[in-house]
Structures are given as structure tokens and as C-alpha cells.
Amino acid sequence: MNSYHTETDTFQSVDEVTWRDIKGELVVLELASGEYYSFNEIGRLSWISLTQGKSVKVIIDEIVNEYDVTHDQAKEDLDGFITGLLENNLIVRLK
Amino acid sequence: MGYSVGGLSFYLEGKKSSVKYSIEVMFELSWNPDIQGDIPFFVYDLKSHETDQLETILPKWLIPDIHSQVPSKDVYLYYGDGHGFPDDVASVAVDDFSIFCCYYCALARELNYILLRKEPQEVPLSVSSVIVPVLSELFAQQSKQLFHAASIYCPQQRVGMMIVADSGGGKTTTALSVLRKGAKMICDDLTVVSDQANGRFELSGLPELMNLTDETIDHFPELKKHRQAQIRNPYSDKYPISAQAVYGKDSMIKICGLDIIYFVSVTGKTPSVSPLGPSEAFGKLLKAKTFAKKQFPSKEKTAQLFSLLSSVQIYRLQTGDNPDVTGQWIIDNCKGHLSKNQ
């Protein structure tokens, strides 16, 4: 699958979003709409790492190390996750 | 008689009227500013030919919003933030016959309720549905959260609980089922949650009368003699009844700690609970603290909600089909729910 995110890309959550990791579950709230999101385990890890400014490559490695998935699968999953976050205006690309 | 909860206290200002009377009763407001209350509450009952008075009572930034609001049953919230008045807030409802507005002016530190009757008829909307959204924002300005929820304290178990459900979802019936088994009620509909310095949360309530449906009253024999047709609220089909009149003065307390939140559903044959995850609970609590359209959560308000979710036990409670059994079951089991969910 062709990714339009490069592995050196980094992101941050937008100002209009607030989030908290509570008892192992992630809750992300979009303030302007009141819409909220919750992610699965890999989504949770990916969100926390993205908002810490880690690059796509580093997060892929984290997913491969933490879960029983191949590099290609992790890359594809993360790519889809990031695309969804960008489309919903929850994050912006830093570089 | 006085109204002071969560650090807010009001007194009614001006000439008595029927609208004022309903507000006085509903929120236990005092007419005497010398005794209690530090925020004057002005009530205006205007006729159609007095429309221009709106502009003398309300701020300029709010007038276009009122006139552009499409008639419906919905209450909308408007913030002065963005117009140079960061702490001002107003709620507005408009229908074909009237304009209802509650406006808090932070600079003057006063609350205003304006009813403009375009047609000379009864008030077709609950007074509280317009006032409560503004009160919820005033509480939020003091780092307190107002929820559409009942709250109960079980003294023997030393457990305080908030009971959340949609309107008509069994909140009051569940609270009453526990109350009549020896618990104390803080309130049955509007609960204020305050963050304490020790990381705990405290429950208090707005002093409204219980508003009971026929269905709720039918569950409890002791309520039936308090059901009086002449005081039935024609807009909600509910009967305002004082819990203290039925269960005695000691049946209510002002404050207790918050230990458990139960999200109630009137389902199943017998009572049971299951833990509720923070993300699902977040959505339900967000809904329970939203009283008007366009009432948006801020980062600060959401941080309070996140802290609450981190600090208390949260369950989905299936009440079963017999409120008499439900109340005793909650009394017997709430202590165990303090640790089960961790």
C-alpha cells in the first residue's frame, strides 16, 4: 500500500481537542462539536505517541514491538489511523 | 428559606408575580437580601407591546441571536465570550407565542429571567429548562459541575452515589427506592459535583421539589396521597412533591462525598451491575451535563469531567422490575461496589 505519510512525519493534536487516558482507556473530545472518540489498544498507543511528537517510523516500531504484527501491517494500520485523524481535524502534520 | 448551593446564592428582586412565584418555589429563593443571597435575580414578565424593553435589559450582543432563533422547543446557550464579556452567558428559547431568556451579567453580578409573551396565554415551557443551563455555566465558572442526576447517601455504608439516567429513565424511581430503605436524599434531579482539595468529590443539589410521573407514584403507596391533580404541571405531566413531606425532615441531607456513579436502566428481572468503561461513561456524563443546544464543553470543564471519571467507581445498573427490591439491593451491595471495579 502506498502511504502518503512519510516515516519521518510528526504530528500534534489541534488546540480544539482535549484528551485523557483514563484507567487504560483513551477519550478524545472535540470541543467545538462535543463529539468524542475512543480508540482500540493500538489506536491508544498511536495517539499517545503521536501527541508526544514521535515520528511515524518510531510509532511503527513501537507497535511491532508491543503487538504481534508485521512491519507492513503496522505501517498500513497506522497510515489508516493517521488519515482518519487528519480527516476529522483531530491532528495536524508538523513537518 | 434560602438558596445557597455550590457557592452560589441568589435572592429575588422586585415585585412579586406568578412567574416569580414559580421560580421562588422551584429554587427555594428568598425575597430578603438582608438575610441571604448575594446575586439579585430579576424577573421580567413582558407583554408583546413591551418588546423594545428587551434591548434595555439584555446586552446588544445577544439581541440578534434572540431574533434569529427559529421557534422550537429547544433551549440554546449563548456565550458573551467573543463579544468582550467572557463570563456572561444566556439561554434562550423561542416559540410561536413567547420568548424566554435567562441572562447572567458578570459585570453587574446579576441574573435576569425575561419572559416576553407575544400572545396572552399560559407559559408553554418549563421555567427551569431556561434557567438551569445558565446555572450550570455559573457552577462551571466556579469549577463545579451540574448534572441531570439524582444523588443519595447511604449512612450505614457511608457511601454517596450519583444516579444518572435519561429523562424518564428511572433515575427518580431508583433514588426513591433507596431513600425508603433508610438512605438520605441529596436531590432527585439536579446534582452539583464539587472537586475537593483531597482529590475527592462532593455532592450537593439544587433544591427543587421532586417532579413525579404517575408511573413513579404508582410504585410507592406512600406517595399516592400526595398526588394532587390541581398542582400537576401541565407541561410535563408531573406532580411536584416534597421528599421531606413524605419521608420526614431527616430524609434529606445537604452534602455528602461521591463514591459511585450508577447509570440506570430499568431492565432485567432482578438488580445487577456491570462495570462501565471510562469512554462510555464519559459520553453519558457529558450528555448529563449538557442542558442546552450549543452548550459546548471547554478544556477546563472537560478536565473536571476527566478527573471525576478517574476518581470514582462507575457502573451500569439494571434495576430489575421491582423498585422495592432494587432499593434494598443497592443498600446491601453498594459497599462492595466501592472496590469491585478497580
Side-chain angles (χ1 to χ4, degrees), chain B residues 69 78 102 111 121 131 140 150 166 169 203 206 226 267 313-314:
Chain B
Q69 193 166 312
Y78 300 99
C102 184
L111 195 64
Q121 61 173 267
I131 296 173
D166 291 335
L203 295 170
L206 262 61
H226 295 269
T267 51
Q313 301 301 314
I314 303 169

Side-chain angles (χ1 to χ4, degrees), chain B residues 123-289:
Chain B
V123 181
L125 189 79
S126 159
V127 172
S128 69
S129 65
V130 180
I131 296 173
V132 168
V134 170
L135 292 183
S136 77
E137 292 295 316
L138 296 190
F139 285 124
Q141 288 177 11
Q142 301 189 58
S143 302
K144 296 178 171 70
Q145 306 178 73
L146 182 65
F147 290 98
H148 186 207
S151 42
I152 287 282
Y153 179 65
C154 299
Q156 287 195 328
Q157 293 73 16
R158 295 186 179 178
V159 173
M161 60 188 72
M162 187 161 84
I163 297 168
V164 187
D166 291 335
S167 276
K171 177 168 40 69
T172 300
T173 302
T174 305
L176 281 173
S177 73
V178 193
L179 174 70
R180 62 206 298 276
K181 297 294 180 183
K184 308 289 183 188
M185 183 181 274
I186 289 81
C187 67
D188 92 305
D189 196 53
L190 292 165
T191 293
V192 179
V193 176
S194 311
D195 195 350
Q196 300 300 291
N198 59 7
R200 297 255 299 153
F201 287 86
E202 191 176 81
L203 295 170
S204 54
L206 262 61
E208 285 187 297
L209 295 173
M210 298 188 295
N211 275 295
L212 305 182
T213 60
D214 277 316
E215 192 183 355
T216 300
I217 292 172
D218 288 342
H219 283 305
F220 307 109
E222 68 275 15
L223 293 174
K224 289 181 182 169
K225 67 179 177 187
H226 295 269
R227 172 164 43 194
Q228 297 173 49
Q230 68 270 26
I231 59 166
R232 186 180 203 173
N233 183 333
Y235 310 111
S236 64
D237 277 344
K238 291 179 177 178
Y239 299 88
I241 294 176
S242 156
Q244 286 179 312
V246 182
Y247 299 100
K249 270 199 161 181
D250 294 339
S251 63
M252 297 197 73
I253 57 171
K254 294 272 187 198
I255 288 172
C256 76
L258 171 59
D259 302 293
I260 302 172
I261 299 174
Y262 291 116
F263 291 95
V264 167
S265 63
V266 184
T267 51
K269 287 300 262 182
T270 56
S272 64
V273 292
S274 54
L276 195 66
S279 57
E280 196 176 347
F282 176 81
K284 288 175 179 291
L285 283 179
L286 191 62
K287 189 178 173 191
K289 64 182 289 186

Side-chain angles (χ1 to χ4, degrees), chain B residues 17 19-20 41-46 53 56-57 99 101 110-116:
Chain B
S17 70
V19 178
K20 265 190 181 175
F41 192 153
F42 295 91
V43 179
Y44 302 89
D45 190 352
L46 306 178
Q53 279 205 33
T56 64
I57 302 165
I99 293 171
C101 176
E110 65 182 33
L111 195 64
N112 299 275
Y113 178 83
I114 301 103
L115 167 61
L116 174 69

